[in-house]
Amino acid sequence: MSKRFTSHPWHGIEIGEKQPAIVNAFIEIIPADSIKYEIHKPSGYIMVDRPQKLSNHMPCLYGFVPQTYCDKEVAAFSNEKTGRTDIVGDGDPLDICVLSERSFNHGNILCDAKVIGGFRMLDGGEADDKIIAVLKGDQAYGAIEDISEMPKMVIDRVRHFFLTYKDLDGGAKNVEITHVYGKEEAFEVIKRSHNDYINKFGNADENLASALEKLLG
């Protein structure tokens, strides 16, 4: 089946054989984009969400980790780390920012992303973690193992974007980044988001096999 049809980017692509250290990243947006694109969840196509309202553009490759979902386990970890009890999952795939020295011409691509850390971001009281990774094999950043090794200005630029990109409509006041964490915490977030995905949607291959069995009698 996988050789005859294009896989759904969220459900049909594997999280990665070497996860959580190296994951597949489906890239929706590149730094040159003046439009905010995102996955259309029912179909798997890239859709236009909105034009970027401000002059600052996404400072990195941005997308999500397939077969992840931010729900109860991710929210519980965020509550544990912040000392809160009211945080819930945002119900979306786990976001990922991939840093590279290279320029890219378009999104809607897959890449191997080496996880180095993350942002514990809350948006309107919902867990909206941003995993920070480097492009595997990147000549500038590929050897970096943890976010603490990344130049501070690079991380500050990404952090600033997420804290300000909703400024124009006042949405930024609902966004906060409580922690910048290293790779071990990022690994835990990835594991929990994958568990949340399995709990919500089940195993994609098993579901397909079961559906085909019923179809064929």
Side-chain angles (χ1 to χ4, degrees):
M1 293 290 289
S2 63
K3 294 179 180 179
R4 294 177 62 88
F5 302 100
T6 300
S7 296
H8 192 293
W10 185 16
H11 303 294
I13 296 172
E14 299 291 335
I15 186 173
E17 293 182 358
K18 297 182 179 180
Q19 65 95 7
I22 299 175
V23 297
N24 288 322
F26 182 80
I27 304 303
E28 300 163 298
I29 306 174
I30 63 172
D33 286 330
S34 59
I35 300 292
K36 182 180 183 296
Y37 301 104
E38 65 178 37
I39 192 77
H40 181 246
K41 293 176 184 176
S43 69
Y45 281 93
I46 289 290
M47 62 177 284
V48 173
D49 181 39
R50 64 179 182 271
Q52 298 284 22
K53 297 179 180 179
L54 301 175
S55 59
N56 54 332
H57 286 187
M58 183 68 67
C60 55
L61 301 174
Y62 181 75
F64 63 87
V65 182
Q67 295 187 6
T68 60
Y69 184 65
C70 295
D71 198 15
K72 294 179 181 178
E73 289 200 23
V74 172
F77 194 52
S78 189
N79 278 313
E80 174 188 332
K81 291 297 183 179
T82 60
R84 294 172 54 168
T85 59
D86 58 336
I87 298 170
V88 297
D90 70 354
D92 285 328
L94 180 63
D95 297 323
I96 188 166
C97 303
V98 184
L99 300 168
S100 171
E101 66 151 347
R102 298 293 184 177
S103 297
F104 290 76
N105 295 322
H106 59 83
N108 197 20
I109 55 175
L110 278 174
C111 68
D112 289 332
K114 179 182 174 184
V115 176
I116 63 169
F119 298 156
R120 180 160 293 108
M121 183 167 140
L122 304 177
D123 189 349
E126 296 179 339
D128 190 16
D129 286 66
K130 309 299 182 188
I131 296 299
I132 306 298
V134 296
L135 183 68
K136 182 183 176 183
D138 189 81
Q139 291 171 311
Y141 302 138
I144 289 177
E145 296 292 333
D146 190 83
I147 199 169
S148 60
E149 302 171 21
M150 181 66 68
K152 183 176 182 297
M153 182 56 69
V154 174
I155 299 303
D156 284 348
R157 185 182 299 125
V158 180
R159 184 174 180 273
H160 178 265
F161 175 84
F162 286 111
L163 288 175
T164 60
Y165 78 108
K166 292 185 177 181
D167 268 350
L168 198 61
D169 58 9
K173 65 183 180 181
N174 296 319
V175 176
E176 59 178 314
I177 294 176
T178 65
H179 301 86
V180 177
Y181 49 76
K183 68 178 182 181
E184 295 303 325
E185 281 196 42
F187 291 173
E188 182 67 18
V189 172
I190 292 168
K191 290 175 183 176
R192 285 173 177 250
S193 67
H194 187 50
N195 288 341
D196 277 337
Y197 177 89
I198 296 298
N199 290 334
K200 175 69 174 180
F201 299 103
N203 182 288
D205 291 335
E206 291 178 1
N207 290 343
L208 179 60
S210 177
L212 287 173
E213 185 177 348
K214 292 180 180 178
L215 181 64
L216 298 174

